[in-house]
């Protein structure tokens, strides 16, 4: 064991030899946007941020963080509320099915303090894929399990299997199927029922007072997707990303567009460079538009898809951004749980018709 004096002498020597960073002033520290290690006196403002459908979950997660619970456990409890809600057709139980009428769920999570990650894709019959993703992280050396293997793992871990297709989601699927072609043997339904979510998802990110960060994203994915399609939600770096030195970010929206820019990762990287969560999210959206193939843009270069990003910094700053005007996100901090307006790239009037 080194005593304090030995330690200081050794540090001074290593520093002189260039092995350790020299000490810097508070001003230099603030000006250094590449810093990743925060000072020992650092205290964060605890904060939970999520997609708007997580409004109840952010309160629950914030309360749990306040009573000392780990950030990842707290936000998974938050998203479980939505996964188990049969009326939310974007996630878990009641999620809209794939083109075969089968509900296939995706989820991923990252735990900042231990720098671990887990995920599942195309998981059937288990209502809480976020918990299965965490079990992959906690009990295996892998980070992503998919399909039948993911289901088998979940059953082995004691998760309950159930039919996730609610009557409402089954009817919506049947309506979609009946309208696919005028020449098939399905008669068209003449009612015009609006289906709210086609690629809904819940992403939730949190920071504790100690500055520990975590993130989780869970979804039933794109409605009527091809059997086996994975979106961005189970992909670390796309659907969500955490770096405990910087913060966390995640997304809801058309996953294919987000995967191509690693939106969760990119947003965290922009924050590392010194941008606020909101600035970082907007810059990621700009990159997404730039990386969009022509068929996804109108003749004025505006996206034919929607996307939202939600981010929290290690210091408790947060932001939510959307491709188009009008979206909200949920946040809970010492001012309580609330919905706030997302910053946006394009006005609603600019949306392709
Ligand atoms: N963002 C959800 C999905 O595309 O599956």
């Amino acid at each position: 064991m080194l005593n304090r004096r030995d330690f200081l002498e050794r540090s001074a020597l290593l520093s002189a030899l260039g092995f350790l960073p020299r000490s810097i002033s508070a001003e230099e520290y603030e000006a250094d946007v590449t810093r990743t290690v925060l000072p020992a006196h650092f205290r964060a403002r605890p904060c939970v941020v999520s997609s708007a459908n997580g409004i109840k979950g952010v309160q629950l997660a914030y309360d749990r963080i306040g009573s000392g619970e780990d950030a990842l456990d707290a936000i998974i409890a938050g998203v479980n509320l939505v996964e188990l809600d049969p009326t939310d057709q974007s996630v878990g139980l009641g999620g809209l099915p794939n083109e075969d009428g089968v509900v296939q769920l995706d989820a991923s999570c990252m735990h900042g303090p231990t720098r671990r990650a887990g995920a599942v894709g195309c998981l059937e019959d288990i209502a809480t894929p976020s918990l299965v993703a965490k079990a992959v992280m906690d009990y295996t050396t892998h980070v992503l399990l998919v399909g039948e293997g993911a289901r088998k793992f979940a059953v082995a871990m004691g998760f309950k299997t159930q039919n996730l297709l609610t009557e409402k989601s089954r009817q919506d699927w049947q309506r979609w199927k009946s309208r696919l072609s005028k020449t098939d043997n399905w008669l068209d339904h003449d009612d015009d029922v609006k289906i709210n979510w086609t690629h809904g998802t819940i992403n939730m990110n949190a920071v504790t007072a100690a500055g520990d960060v975590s993130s989780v994203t869970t979804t039933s994915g794109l409605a009527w997707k091809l059997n086996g399609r994975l979106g961005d939600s189970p992909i670390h770096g796309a659907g969500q990303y955490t770096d405990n030195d910087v913060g966390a970010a995640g997304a809801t929206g058309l996953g294919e567009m987000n995967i191509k820019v690693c939106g969760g990762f990119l947003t965290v990287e922009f924050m590392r460079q010194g941008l606020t969560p909101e600035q970082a999210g907007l810059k990621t959206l700009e990159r997404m538009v730039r990386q969009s193939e022509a068929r996804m843009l109108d003749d004025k270069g505006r996206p034919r898809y929607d996307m939202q990003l939600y981010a929290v910094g290690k210091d408790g700053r947060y932001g939510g951004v959307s491709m188009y005007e009008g979206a909200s996100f949920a946040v809970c901090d010492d001012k309580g749980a609330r919905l706030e307006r997302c910053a946006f790239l394009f006005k609603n009037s600019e949306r392709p018709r």
Side-chain angles (χ1 to χ4, degrees):
M1 282 279 283
L2 290 177
N3 64 29
R4 185 167 180 275
R5 190 179 158 169
D6 290 341
F7 173 78
L8 291 174
E9 280 174 1
R10 181 175 295 194
S11 299
L13 179 65
L14 289 172
S15 184
L17 292 172
F19 290 114
L20 285 182
R22 67 188 178 84
S23 54
I24 58 170
S25 68
E27 291 74 33
E28 281 178 304
Y29 174 77
E30 281 307 318
D32 177 11
V33 295
T34 64
R35 67 182 183 271
T36 55
V37 179
L38 291 158
H41 57 75
F42 176 78
R43 299 290 295 170
R45 238 165 35 93
C47 177
V48 184
V49 62
S50 89
S51 42
N53 54 344
I55 184 66
K56 289 193 190 127
V58 290
Q59 179 74 64
L60 178 79
Y62 184 79
D63 290 347
R64 286 185 174 221
I65 287 169
S67 55
E69 193 165 311
D70 175 79
L72 184 56
D73 288 333
I75 55 178
I76 287 182
V79 301
N80 286 165
L81 291 181
V82 189
E83 288 175 325
L84 295 171
D85 176 359
T87 65
D88 188 311
Q89 291 182 282
S90 72
V91 178
L93 178 64
L96 291 173
N98 67 14
E99 66 172 0
D100 299 334
V102 178
V103 181
Q104 289 186 327
L105 305 177
D106 300 335
S108 65
C109 63
M110 288 183 77
H111 186 242
T114 57
R115 299 179 191 273
R116 290 180 305 151
V120 285
C122 293
L123 176 68
E124 295 178 15
D125 302 333
I126 315 278
T128 53
S130 61
L131 280 171
V132 186
K134 184 167 185 295
V136 171
M137 179 186 99
D138 284 339
Y139 298 106
T140 79
T141 56
H142 307 314
V143 293
L144 172 60
L145 294 179
V146 299
E148 183 49 30
R151 186 185 185 282
K152 212 170 146 186
F153 166 77
V155 170
M157 294 304 298
F159 284 87
K160 185 182 91 171
T161 59
Q162 67 187 110
N163 177 15
L164 301 178
L165 189 65
T166 55
E167 183 53 19
K168 167 87 175 80
S169 289
R170 191 194 63 76
Q171 285 182 15
D172 286 345
W173 167 72
Q174 208 171 38
R175 259 182 215 107
W176 167 77
K177 209 168 157 59
S178 73
R179 289 177 192 161
L180 276 181
S181 164
K182 292 264 176 235
T183 59
D184 65 19
N185 291 318
W186 293 94
L187 293 174
D188 281 8
H189 289 238
D190 49 13
D191 52 350
D192 188 22
V193 177
K194 185 166 168 8
I195 300 168
N196 283 325
W197 291 92
T198 51
H199 47 72
T201 299
I202 177 166
N203 160 250
M204 196 175 287
N205 314 290
V207 60
T208 68
D212 283 331
V213 188
S214 285
S215 53
V216 63
T217 298
T218 173
T219 189
S220 51
L222 189 63
W224 337 131
K225 59 193 173 185
L226 300 188
N227 187 356
R229 176 259 190 192
L230 286 181
D232 57 335
S233 304
I235 311 295
H236 303 101
Q240 55 73 43
Y241 190 73
T242 288
D243 182 326
N244 213 47
D245 296 335
V246 180
T252 59
L254 185 59
E256 280 76 3
M257 311 315 292
N258 186 30
I259 289 172
K260 289 193 299 174
V261 300
C262 307
F265 177 77
L266 189 59
T267 303
V268 171
E269 285 308 295
F270 284 141
M271 290 197 287
R272 191 196 304 277
Q273 291 167 16
L275 298 190
T276 65
E278 185 176 296
Q279 290 166 340
L282 287 172
K283 225 169 150 184
T284 299
L285 290 180
E286 282 169 7
R287 181 75 63 84
M288 212 174 284
V289 176
R290 177 82 188 117
Q291 278 289 83
S292 296
E293 56 264 51
R295 74 185 168 86
M296 298 308 292
L297 301 173
D298 74 357
D299 53 3
K300 297 197 175 73
R302 292 169 306 204
R304 298 186 190 279
Y305 59 90
D306 225 329
M307 185 66 61
Q308 290 79 39
L309 292 159
Y310 319 92
V312 67
K314 191 173 174 68
D315 55 7
R317 284 188 294 177
Y318 63 88
V321 300
S322 177
M323 200 61 93
Y324 286 98
E325 177 183 13
S328 306
F329 66 102
V331 60
C332 191
D333 56 15
D334 54 4
K335 298 193 202 80
R338 59 201 179 273
L339 289 177
E340 291 192 9
R341 284 274 169 212
C342 289
F344 56 88
L345 276 194
F346 298 99
K347 291 203 174 114
N348 240 331
S349 54
E350 296 176 290
R351 219 182 251 278
R353 298 287 155 209

